[in-house]
Amino acid sequence: MTAQASSPRTPSMDATQNEVLAEVRNHIGHLTLNRPAGLNAITLDMVRQLQQQLDAWATDARVHAVVLRGAGEKAFCAGGDIRSLYDSFKSGDTLHEDFFVEEYALDLTIHHYRKPVLALMDGFVLGGGMGLVQGADLRVVTEKSRLAMPEVAIGYFPDVGGSYFLSRIPGELGIYLGVSGVQIRAADALYCGLADWYVDSSRLASLDEQLDHLEWHDTPLKDLQGLLAKNGVQTLADAPLEKLRPVIDHFFALPDVPSIVEQLRAVTVADSHEWATTTADLLETRSPLAMAVTLEMLRRGRHLSLEQCFALELHLDRQWFERGDLIEGVRALLIDKDKTPRWNPPTLAALDAEHVASFFHGFTESGS
């Protein structure tokens, strides 16, 4: 794709033909994920289009900043197109291998981008969607935002830099989010540092119009921050995770997942019992292997650089299709849709610590 300076609202691509739309308005490059019927789940072609456009705009003096958004009203991006990865593995193709290498490179590009990136996280922001936004300078949520790294539900682990951004959330909140895969809303996203601004979704059209007429006075980042300050807030009251923080910090600091579930089951204190029981029930539906590897990965990630975290995730990816639970999870939830995955091992009690540790063998901090 080639960056084009266009008149307002004139896309450089045909919306009916392209899964990524790109246009430049008022020195801002707008990138729109354009698979609304599929909740903007990202494909390898989309990864390549985004990478090409960001590379072009990085050296284009006409472009001062970039805005990322999703088409439609339901999702920014509900993750990667895992069905295509399943099909690739089953057919002996290499798409599932290429996808992660190129997706992680794209995420790193956003983390290190030389121009400010504004991500509008309206609707679902799951998995691969989180990978796109967590490197952005300005992350905006709305009342419709639902953020999660839900990979353990399909027998996978939170990747796309999750070992970096989840592990740096205060206390054990990131461990909780990664091991459980629960969704959070705007107040919790701000509280956890996974978002920077709250803007009501009814103001997004106005915000877009203001971007079209923004006068560039200071640095592009400061100009964008000033605009967001007129349209939103940086904190919201009554974040559920703030109230749950003491119990989450206690239970999710325990040595392993079986211990976490066992101790959750033992809670008798009235104000924590319901949450503890619900959480234990949820964990027992997830892949035991995926949760155990996630716990170890996130704890290691606390001591690794961003690049090292992506290298660790790629090290796990290279083994996961053969040795992990992803193929079974996709089969149960998307292919046969029986919703009864046969995890290996099937229970937390059957987890073998040496088997979990084996996924990390051969990884060094200089790379895998």
Side-chain angles (χ1 to χ4, degrees):
M1 291 180 290
T2 303
Q4 296 182 9
S6 55
S7 59
R9 315 286 175 193
T10 304
S12 60
M13 301 182 198
D14 182 345
T16 64
Q17 298 292 322
N18 295 279
E19 295 178 334
V20 174
L21 306 180
E23 59 181 318
V24 176
R25 310 193 310 260
N26 189 30
H27 302 289
I28 299 173
H30 293 263
L31 287 172
T32 303
L33 307 181
N34 190 41
R35 292 185 68 208
L39 299 180
N40 299 317
I42 192 168
T43 65
L44 181 57
D45 284 344
M46 292 169 73
V47 167
R48 290 172 173 170
Q49 291 178 63
L50 289 165
Q51 185 72 62
Q52 183 179 351
Q53 192 64 75
L54 286 170
D55 288 347
W57 283 342
T59 56
D60 188 339
R62 298 170 299 172
V63 177
H64 299 341
V66 172
V67 173
L68 293 174
R69 76 185 80 212
E73 298 183 353
K74 294 182 179 179
F76 167 78
C77 172
D81 181 14
I82 55 175
R83 175 64 186 262
S84 68
L85 306 183
Y86 176 94
D87 292 341
S88 168
F89 176 76
K90 285 294 190 179
S91 67
D93 198 1
T94 62
L95 182 146
H96 62 288
E97 298 170 356
D98 298 339
F99 178 82
F100 291 111
V101 171
E102 296 188 41
E103 182 188 27
Y104 296 178
L106 171 64
D107 294 337
L108 271 170
T109 293
I110 295 172
H111 275 276
H112 295 311
Y113 207 60
R114 65 179 66 185
K115 299 175 182 181
V117 177
L118 165 61
L120 299 175
M121 300 189 286
D122 193 34
F124 289 109
V125 189
L126 311 177
M130 289 284 280
L132 293 174
V133 301
Q134 289 307 316
D137 303 276
L138 302 166
R139 300 160 300 172
V140 174
V141 285
T142 74
E143 79 284 357
K144 297 192 296 182
S145 298
R146 302 290 185 272
L147 280 65
M149 295 297 289
E151 287 79 4
V152 291
I154 57 167
Y156 190 48
F157 55 88
D159 64 332
V160 294
S163 58
Y164 183 83
F165 61 76
L166 288 178
S167 67
R168 281 155 178 77
I169 298 173
E172 303 298 321
L173 293 176
I175 302 290
Y176 165 66
L177 294 177
V179 171
S180 70
V182 297
Q183 292 183 15
I184 60 173
R185 301 190 180 196
D188 280 334
L190 292 168
Y191 176 69
C192 290
L194 295 172
D196 307 296
W197 291 90
Y198 172 84
V199 175
D200 193 275
S201 62
S202 65
R203 295 191 60 84
L204 290 180
S206 172
L207 178 64
D208 212 36
E209 189 71 21
Q210 292 173 62
L211 287 168
D212 286 347
H213 297 91
L214 179 63
E215 295 184 7
W216 302 96
H217 295 297
D218 211 323
T219 65
L221 180 59
K222 288 185 177 179
D223 288 335
L224 290 172
Q225 287 172 329
L227 182 60
L228 289 172
K230 298 175 183 177
N231 288 273
V233 296
Q234 291 189 286
T235 59
L236 291 172
D238 300 321
L241 288 183
E242 184 174 8
K243 297 175 182 177
L244 289 169
R245 170 82 182 273
V247 292
I248 288 174
D249 283 356
H250 171 73
F251 290 110
F252 283 84
L254 291 169
D256 50 45
V257 182
S259 299
I260 293 171
V261 172
E262 179 184 2
Q263 292 299 309
L264 286 168
R265 292 282 185 214
V267 171
T268 57
V269 180
D271 59 354
S272 300
H273 176 73
E274 182 179 356
W275 173 85
T277 300
T278 300
T279 301
D281 289 345
L282 178 66
L283 295 181
E284 289 185 338
T285 69
R286 307 312 203 190
S287 159
L289 180 62
M291 288 190 295
V293 168
T294 294
L295 182 63
E296 175 66 17
M297 180 191 74
L298 293 179
R299 288 177 174 170
R300 286 179 179 235
R302 287 171 167 163
H303 310 290
L304 300 177
S305 69
L306 177 65
E307 286 75 15
Q308 289 167 343
C309 281
F310 275 109
L312 174 58
E313 293 167 12
L314 201 56
H315 176 80
L316 297 173
D317 280 327
R318 288 171 178 149
Q319 309 168 67
W320 204 258
F321 282 84
E322 292 283 357
R323 303 180 61 209
D325 272 342
L326 177 62
I327 293 300
E328 173 59 16
V330 175
R331 180 209 65 77
L333 297 174
L334 294 181
I335 308 300
D336 298 338
K337 298 182 180 179
D338 55 42
K339 297 185 180 179
T340 54
R342 297 183 288 272
W343 303 129
N344 184 24
T347 65
L348 286 167
L351 271 174
D352 178 69
E354 282 301 315
H355 181 58
V356 173
S358 72
F359 284 88
F360 299 87
H361 290 168
F363 177 77
T364 63
E365 294 187 3
S366 60
S368 55

